Amino acid sequence: MTSTTTAEPEVAAASPDASPDAVDPGAADVATPAGRRRRRSWWPALRAHAASAGRAIGAGSAQVWTRSAPVLGVVSPLGWCVLVLTVASWWAGVALRWQETAIIAVTVTVALVGAVVFVLGRLRYDVTLDVASRRVVVGDRAVGRLVVRNGSARPMLPAVMELQVGRGVATFPVPRLRAQAEHEEIFAVPTQRRAVIPLGPVRSVRADPLGLLRRELVWTEPEELFVHPRTLPLSGSSTGLLHDLEGRVTPDISDSDISFHALRDYVPGDDRRHIHWKSTARTGQLMVRQFEETRRSRLAVILSTRAEDYADPDEFELAVSVCGSLGLQAIREDGGLTVLVQRGRVRGDHRTRLLDDLTRLELAAGRTSLAEVARVASRTSMDASVVAVVVGSTVTSTDLRAAAVRLPVDARLVALRCAPGSGVSRGRVADMQVLTLGELADLPLALRRMHD
């Protein structure tokens, strides 16, 4: 006799007196249907397989694109249009039996095959880009040389070399070159304005007459041509800004310096070299010398780069030239130099680095006012003996006064207002002398007027 036992659910029905909290928290998993449990078991595995398959497809696509990019990159936008037209014409000519589209298909196919012939072949050029000087002054002649040499053992078909010059492109046709032959091109770069002009890279270009395919190869790295601003050599006597090499005398008293001030009683620890023996013999007690502290001359230049401070770009170019002239004179005199602009500091430790940084400056609309730059200068150039503020003609006396009250109180303050076409004039705003000049040649005269 077979007995059948029916399994009762492990979770008993809750009695009316039982609280909801008395239900076993694991009961939900036990009561879950078997189909749902099986779904939860295979779903993570399926998701993991899908993710791995997606990564494999992505890696394969990237590899295919990497290998095909040199070929696909040769096709120009016009070439892609012609390629689409070719496929459509062949389909219409074969499937729909349209004779006109068949003729078009044959014509464009011949054009594409002919274009391929123009871009085929391995190029083995040795390209040299040589510039006579990578740093010139505005108006000077900047000359360069491009040499293309056939480094292979067989002749090379004619090609075209393209040289990136700033935002433009210079094109040089290269004729057919025999083995180990070379072709030279001389070019000049315009230097009418201060700028950093990118030169290069040099690319060889092969293209068909219809422009369907275009093959480019890069042969050189890009370089930079610095067109420095014009500067004027100044002498220490003409600037009135730089003092003698010993420095300037200050009211501070020092125990060891150059400028003698007075005698005082000897204090243990004083340097015996500063004992004044004649006074010691006369008074009967040790006497030492006191000195007035001297400081090396240090020039701080604040050059405004805010577009609102200049009426036109020519004013800014004059301001950059004035700043460069003052800075170069400070470097020649072996004095300290600090140049501040709205966006930070310009390197002033070497003439080349100073002119390179000045060449990169551009006008920009900004919220940083002249007074805020002066506040920064007061914190970073507290030892400056002279502070020169170089601005444009639109800067008002109120702006200069706001900058003057934030500059170091023990420094000589001078503002150089650049206004092309105006004459040399002198004024004063608070403790700051204001000099107006219309051209760079007026700078020595304007500085000499500081002492008139």
Side-chain angles (χ1 to χ4, degrees):
M1 180 176 181
T2 303
S3 64
T4 303
T5 305
T6 304
E8 296 180 358
E10 297 181 5
V11 181
S15 61
D17 298 334
S19 63
D21 298 335
V23 180
D24 185 6
D29 291 338
V30 178
T32 302
R36 185 178 299 177
R37 287 201 304 270
R38 287 195 299 269
R39 182 180 181 184
R40 287 183 179 179
S41 63
W42 60 259
W43 174 250
L46 179 61
R47 186 168 55 183
H49 286 301
S52 61
R55 287 191 296 268
I57 293 174
S61 301
Q63 188 175 6
V64 171
W65 173 254
T66 301
R67 293 183 177 181
S68 61
V71 178
L72 299 179
V74 174
V75 185
S76 66
L78 177 60
W80 285 111
C81 295
V82 173
L83 187 60
V84 172
L85 176 63
T86 303
V87 174
S89 299
W90 276 114
W91 177 83
V94 174
L96 304 180
R97 300 184 181 276
W98 291 355
Q99 296 183 357
E100 294 82 357
T101 56
I103 296 174
I104 295 176
V106 172
T107 303
V108 294
T109 301
V110 171
L112 286 174
V113 173
V116 171
V117 175
F118 279 92
V119 299
L120 284 180
R122 176 176 295 183
L123 301 180
R124 293 186 59 184
Y125 287 125
D126 296 328
V127 181
T128 303
L129 177 63
D130 185 20
V131 183
S133 177
R134 292 184 59 237
R135 290 173 174 84
V136 297
V137 182
V138 172
D140 289 354
R141 185 176 176 84
V143 181
R145 184 171 68 108
L146 179 64
V147 179
V148 181
R149 181 174 174 272
N150 180 8
S152 64
R154 56 184 180 180
M156 302 288 289
L157 294 176
V160 175
M161 290 290 173
E162 291 185 349
L163 171 62
Q164 189 79 24
V165 182
R167 298 181 179 179
V169 177
T171 303
F172 304 101
V174 179
R176 181 179 180 273
L177 295 178
R178 298 190 305 272
Q180 305 303 320
E182 66 178 31
H183 176 73
E184 183 182 49
E185 290 282 352
I186 304 296
F187 61 91
V189 181
T191 59
Q192 282 79 15
R193 296 190 67 85
R194 173 186 59 88
V196 179
I197 303 176
L199 290 180
V202 178
R203 297 184 179 91
S204 62
V205 178
R206 275 189 174 182
D208 63 285
L210 298 178
L212 303 180
L213 303 181
R214 177 184 173 91
R215 182 184 177 189
E216 296 182 1
L217 291 176
V218 178
W219 298 100
T220 65
E221 296 294 330
E223 301 179 3
E224 288 183 332
L225 173 64
F226 289 86
V227 183
H228 287 164
R230 291 191 181 96
T231 56
L232 191 66
L234 304 172
S235 61
S237 59
S238 67
T239 62
L241 297 178
L242 303 177
H243 303 277
D244 52 78
L245 293 178
E246 289 83 3
R248 64 185 183 91
V249 178
T250 67
D252 301 330
I253 304 301
S254 173
D255 292 333
S256 177
D257 217 303
I258 297 175
S259 180
F260 174 75
H261 174 64
L263 295 173
R264 63 171 176 83
D265 293 338
Y266 176 82
V267 176
D270 288 340
D271 192 344
R272 291 181 178 271
R273 292 177 300 175
H274 298 149
I275 296 177
H276 194 268
W277 295 107
K278 292 183 179 180
S279 300
T280 299
R282 186 171 60 251
T283 60
Q285 59 181 0
L286 292 175
M287 303 292 293
V288 296
R289 299 180 182 90
Q290 277 188 318
F291 303 89
E292 289 181 322
E293 184 181 355
T294 57
R295 297 176 184 170
R296 291 296 300 271
S297 300
R298 186 171 187 84
L299 174 64
V301 181
I302 298 176
L303 173 63
S304 176
T305 56
R306 255 197 353 161
E308 294 82 358
D309 293 342
Y310 298 90
D312 53 59
D314 291 337
E315 288 189 2
F316 182 62
E317 295 302 320
L318 177 57
V320 173
S321 296
V322 169
C323 177
S325 301
L326 295 177
L328 291 180
Q329 179 61 26
I331 294 174
R332 280 193 293 266
E333 295 287 342
D334 197 22
L337 174 65
T338 301
V339 181
L340 295 176
V341 295
Q342 262 79 1
R343 293 188 176 182
R345 177 177 294 190
V346 174
R347 293 176 296 178
D349 55 337
H350 190 271
R351 68 179 312 274
T352 302
R353 286 187 284 269
L354 171 66
L355 292 176
D356 285 353
D357 286 357
L358 290 178
T359 304
R360 294 184 185 276
L361 292 181
E362 296 181 357
L363 284 176
R367 298 180 180 179
T368 306
S369 63
L370 194 63
E372 293 173 346
V373 181
R375 184 184 294 109
V376 175
S378 65
R379 294 197 304 265
T380 59
S381 305
M382 298 182 61
D383 58 343
S385 56
V386 178
V387 179
V389 182
V390 185
V391 294
S393 61
T394 60
V395 175
T396 62
S397 300
T398 303
D399 297 332
L400 293 177
R401 185 177 293 105
V405 298
R406 290 168 172 79
L407 292 173
V409 294
D410 57 346
R412 178 182 297 179
L413 307 181
V414 56
L416 297 168
R417 180 179 285 163
C418 302
S422 63
V424 179
S425 61
R426 184 183 66 174
R428 178 172 288 275
V429 174
D431 294 333
M432 177 183 291
Q433 293 193 55
V434 181
L435 304 175
T436 303
L437 57 154
E439 56 182 354
L440 185 61
D442 295 338
L443 181 59
L445 175 60
L447 295 176
R448 282 195 297 269
R449 287 194 176 184
M450 291 178 57
H451 304 286
D452 294 346

